[in-house]
Amino acid sequence: MKTEPNLSIKGILRMLMANIDDEKNMRVISLGMGDPTAFSCFTTTSIAEDAVLDALTSQKFNGYSPTVGLPQTRRAISEYLSMDLPYKLSPDDVYITAGCTQAIELAISILATPNANILIPRPGFPIYDICAAFRNVEMRHFDLLPEKGWEVDLDAIDALADENTVAIVVINPGNPCGNVYSFQHLKKIAETAKKHKIVVIADEVYGHLAFGSNPFVPMGVFGSTVPVLTLGSLSKRWIVPGWRLGWLVTADPNGILKNAEIVERLKKYVDICGGPATFIQAAVPQILKETSDVFFTRTLGILKHSADLCVKKIKDIACLTCPTKPQGAMTVMVKLNVLMLKDIIDDTDFCFKLAKEESVILLPGVTVGLKNWVRITFAVEPSSLVEALERVKTFCHTHSYEPKG
Ligand SMILES: *Cc1c(COP(=O)(O)O)cnc(C)c1O
C-alpha cells in the first residue's frame, strides 16, 4: 500500500518563510509552529531552570546515563503519572527519550514487524507518517469528526483494522484540533482497541493542557482494558521544547506487553537511541515535585484567553469557519472556503500568498492531512494573534469576489 510522502511541518514552514516579501518591511508573525517560547508571555518556571542549574553544577551528571534513563528520573515520572491512574506504575515502566518525538520513533520502531499496520488520526501529526515510512509500517488513516468535537470515528476503526493491525494512535489533548476527549469517548476507544487486540499509542505531550469543559483524562486509566504506550514530554506543559526531555511509558497493569516481548524490544532499542542530556534528566525529580500550581494555572489562563480570542477573530472572517472551539493544546483547525476567493486555488496557495502579502504564516491543512483547512497556533502573544488575524481578514477581503470598502 501507498505511504504518502508527507512534507514535515518544519519543511513547509521553511518554504513559507522563504516566501515572505522582505521589501514590505512588515513584522513577520507566525501562527504556524507550536513553539510558544518565541513569545515572552510563555516562559517556563524558574523552578525548572534552577533544577537544571543545580543538576549541572553538581558535576555529578556529566557522564552517560543508563540507556533506559536515570533511575531517579524514571521513578519521578512513574509517580507523576500514577497520580492520575487507578493503579501504580513502576519506574521500570518508564523509558526516558529525547522529547516526545523520540518516544514516537521508539513506539513505532518496536511495533514494526513485517506487514504491520498502525491506525492514525486524520488530521494528525505528520511525524507519525514520516517515521512509519522509514520503518516500512503501513499507516491507515481514520477520520476525526469536526462536528463531534473531533472525536474518533469508531466505525472507521472497525473498517480499517485487520489481523496485521498492531496499534492505534490517539492524540489527546489534540494537535492539530485542540480536542480534549471525555472519559466516555476514551473508554469507547479503549474497548474498540481491545476488540481488535491492538495497543493504544497515547500521545499525551499536551497532557493537562486542557482549559475547556472536559478535564484531561490519561488513556492509561484504561490500561487494564487495553495495553497503553503513553508518550509525553516536558516540552509543552513546561514550555521547554528545546530541553528534549520526553518519555515512553508502558501503562499495562496486566503485563500483556511483557508477554508479547514488546518490553524486551523496548529495552534493546533504547541502546541505540541516545536519549536526552544526563543533567536534564537529573533535574526532572525536582521539576516534577516543585513546580507550583500557580505556574500551571497561569499558562492555562493565557491559553484559554488566546483560544477564545482566536475563535472570536475567526468569526469575523467570512471565508474561515471554526467547527469546534479548542478545549486544549495549542492549535485549532479552521475550514477554508476557497469558493469565496477569486484567485486562491487551495489551502497551500492561500498560505503562500498570505505569507507574501501580509507576512503572516499559517500552516496549510494538507500538511496534517486535511486539504482546504488551515491550522492556526493560538499559543501566541495576544497582541500578535490579533494583529495576525486582522491581516488575514484584510487578505481575505482583498481576494474575495466582492471586496468590501
Ligand atoms: C510537539 C508534539 C510532539 C513532539 O514533542 P517534543 O517533546 O517536542 O519532541 C509530539 N506529538 C505531538 C502531537 C506534538 O504536538
Side-chain angles (χ1 to χ4, degrees):
M1 277 218 194
K2 170 169 162 291
T3 334
E4 287 168 40
N6 270 340
L7 252 179
S8 72
I9 292 180
K10 290 189 177 86
I12 190 108
L13 290 176
R14 272 195 299 270
M15 288 163 68
L16 285 164
M17 278 307 248
N19 217 40
I20 296 275
D21 184 354
D22 295 331
E23 311 244 299
K24 283 208 143 72
N25 256 330
M26 257 176 155
R27 183 170 73 103
V28 179
I29 308 178
S30 176
L31 311 183
M33 178 89 161
D35 187 350
T37 58
F39 301 92
S40 60
C41 66
F42 290 100
T43 45
T44 192
T45 160
S46 57
I47 302 274
E49 293 167 347
D50 291 344
V52 172
L53 279 176
D54 288 352
L56 180 65
T57 52
S58 76
Q59 301 195 331
K60 282 191 255 168
F61 303 105
N62 293 333
Y64 289 114
S65 76
T67 52
V68 287
L70 283 180
Q72 62 269 42
T73 312
R74 302 176 86 195
R75 174 170 302 279
I77 290 169
S78 69
E79 285 169 1
Y80 167 67
L81 296 176
S82 293
M83 288 192 291
D84 301 308
L85 298 176
Y87 54 92
K88 212 166 152 11
L89 294 166
S90 136
D92 291 338
D93 291 321
V94 180
Y95 302 82
I96 311 298
T97 58
C100 187
T101 304
Q102 195 179 49
I104 293 171
E105 189 203 325
L106 181 56
I108 291 178
S109 301
I110 55 149
L111 292 168
T113 46
N115 299 320
N117 69 71
I118 294 181
L119 312 181
I120 61 164
R122 177 178 49 216
F125 190 63
I127 282 180
Y128 286 91
D129 298 85
I130 298 166
C131 190
F134 277 110
R135 299 284 175 231
N136 286 316
V137 175
E138 183 197 339
M139 285 295 185
R140 296 186 178 177
H141 298 86
F142 58 86
D143 286 326
L144 302 182
L145 306 169
E147 66 284 0
K148 287 183 143 188
W150 298 103
E151 283 190 352
V152 172
D153 181 355
L154 294 166
D155 295 334
I157 303 299
D158 288 336
L160 288 173
D162 64 18
E163 70 281 3
N164 290 321
T165 305
V166 291
I168 174 174
V169 175
V170 178
I171 306 174
N172 182 60
N175 174 7
C177 302
N179 55 277
V180 176
Y181 294 146
S182 67
F183 181 94
Q184 283 309 323
H185 186 58
L186 291 167
K187 187 161 182 265
K188 280 187 199 151
I189 296 172
E191 282 160 359
T192 307
K194 180 191 167 84
K195 183 169 76 185
H196 295 289
K197 299 193 174 65
I198 58 181
V199 172
V200 178
I201 299 173
D203 184 329
E204 294 175 356
V205 75
Y206 292 100
H208 297 279
L209 291 181
F211 45 76
S213 49
N214 288 343
F216 166 62
V217 177
M219 195 76 205
V221 164
F222 306 99
S224 26
T225 304
V226 65
V228 177
L229 297 177
T230 298
L231 319 183
S233 76
L234 295 183
S235 303
K236 310 288 162 72
R237 195 180 188 199
W238 273 269
I239 328 180
V240 289
W243 290 10
R244 311 311 302 132
L245 192 294
W247 52 81
L248 178 149
V249 175
T250 51
D252 175 35
N254 299 336
I256 292 168
L257 299 174
K258 224 175 244 150
N259 291 337
E261 293 190 12
I262 285 181
V263 170
E264 280 311 307
R265 284 169 68 86
L266 267 172
K267 285 186 199 153
K268 276 193 196 134
Y269 196 86
V270 290
D271 278 349
I272 59 165
C273 276
T278 310
F279 67 91
I280 302 275
Q281 296 192 41
V284 169
Q286 206 172 314
I287 294 173
L288 296 184
K289 203 160 81 213
E290 292 183 10
T291 302
S292 75
D293 282 340
V294 176
F295 168 71
F296 294 139
T297 310
R298 180 180 175 274
T299 311
L300 281 181
I302 302 173
L303 285 176
K304 182 178 174 9
H305 173 69
S306 298
D308 289 348
L309 200 60
C310 185
V311 171
K312 191 168 145 239
K313 296 300 284 180
I314 286 162
K315 278 210 181 98
D316 278 349
I317 305 172
C319 62
L320 297 180
T321 44
C322 173
T324 340
K325 216 171 144 170
Q327 287 206 48
M330 298 179 176
T331 57
V332 60
M333 288 298 284
V334 171
K335 196 170 167 55
L336 171 67
N337 185 351
V338 280
L339 297 177
M340 293 173 76
L341 303 170
K342 59 174 186 269
D343 50 2
I344 304 286
I345 310 164
D346 57 18
D347 53 333
T348 305
D349 193 30
F350 181 89
C351 292
F352 273 90
K353 285 180 174 149
L354 179 69
K356 191 167 197 78
E357 292 173 30
E358 299 291 341
S359 301
V360 170
I361 310 273
L362 303 181
L363 189 75
V366 72
T367 337
V368 292
L370 276 196
K371 197 177 158 72
N372 290 340
W373 289 68
V374 289
R375 189 190 77 169
I376 299 179
T377 301
F378 54 77
V380 165
E381 199 106 73
S383 60
S384 298
L385 185 65
V386 168
E387 186 179 339
L389 292 172
E390 286 293 334
R391 292 193 211 163
V392 174
K393 187 174 171 178
T394 306
F395 176 84
C396 290
H397 269 203
T398 311
H399 291 270
S400 70
Y401 276 108
E402 292 166 72
K404 289 162 208 145

